[in-house]
Amino acid sequence: MIALNEQDFGNFITHPLLTKKDPPVYLYEGNPGKIVLLPDGVTINPTDGSVQFKGVFMEQYEFLFRLSRGDGQQKNTNDGSRGAKIEAILLPSTTDANNDNIDDKEILEKDISKIMSDYFTNLNFDLDGTMLSFRDMMVTDKGKQPSLMLALSIVVKKFPSPGIAF
């Protein structure tokens, strides 16, 4: 398990080892759009066990994401992991009136929620031969500040090269 505070989680979701992998993409109105996660504005809420963070879709639509523990029913959770559940909320735009007039806002939020849930549930990254994948999470308020505890599966194919920067 690893413990992340709000700043750590923001750095984690925007770390080059994650961002150079295939980012979450959604086909909207015939156009594939990347979902870019933002490092700032992370809030860990121990009351409801969630982590809130933001992202931008197609470089113009800002979303608030609420990450919580999955129920084990998500895609590819047959390994005993619980997976992740993410609720996506389209935020009102301060610069683009199109954001407020999206006809299929509920469908967009539902589809982005599923894509982001699958993205975190199936999150895998390679630390130069040491493979980490998401298994489960919990939020705690023990310690000086709330933190997110991530349970990761680890498979060591080879030990990382000396001097590699993580």
Side-chain angles (χ1 to χ4, degrees), residues 50-164:
S50 72
V51 178
Q52 294 183 11
F53 58 99
K54 293 182 180 177
V56 177
F57 172 60
M58 296 186 76
E59 299 181 359
Q60 62 181 335
Y61 301 113
E62 187 174 11
F63 278 86
L64 174 69
F65 297 111
R66 186 174 295 125
L67 167 66
S68 59
R69 253 182 126 186
D71 57 11
Q73 302 302 310
Q74 288 79 11
K75 182 174 133 185
N76 295 335
T77 57
N78 56 1
D79 61 356
S81 66
R82 294 200 42 127
K85 177 183 174 189
I86 295 185
E87 176 187 9
I89 302 159
L90 181 62
L91 297 174
S93 174
T94 56
T95 59
D96 184 4
N98 292 338
N99 223 21
D100 301 324
N101 297 322
I102 295 177
D103 292 332
D104 52 358
K105 178 182 173 191
E106 289 179 12
I107 294 170
L108 180 62
E109 288 176 336
K110 180 181 175 191
D111 289 350
I112 297 285
S113 294
K114 180 171 178 5
I115 286 168
M116 291 299 294
S117 295
D118 288 346
Y119 176 75
F120 271 86
T121 295
N122 298 305
L123 186 65
N124 290 299
F125 49 104
D126 181 357
L127 301 177
D128 194 33
T130 300
M131 314 299 281
L132 302 175
S133 59
F134 181 92
R135 287 193 49 84
D136 202 355
M137 63 165 276
M138 75 175 224
V139 173
T140 180
D141 60 356
K142 294 180 181 175
K144 294 179 182 176
Q145 55 188 335
S147 60
L148 168 66
M149 304 293 289
L150 287 180
L152 303 172
S153 294
I154 300 173
V155 175
V156 179
K157 294 187 179 191
K158 73 176 187 102
F159 287 104
S161 303
I164 189 166

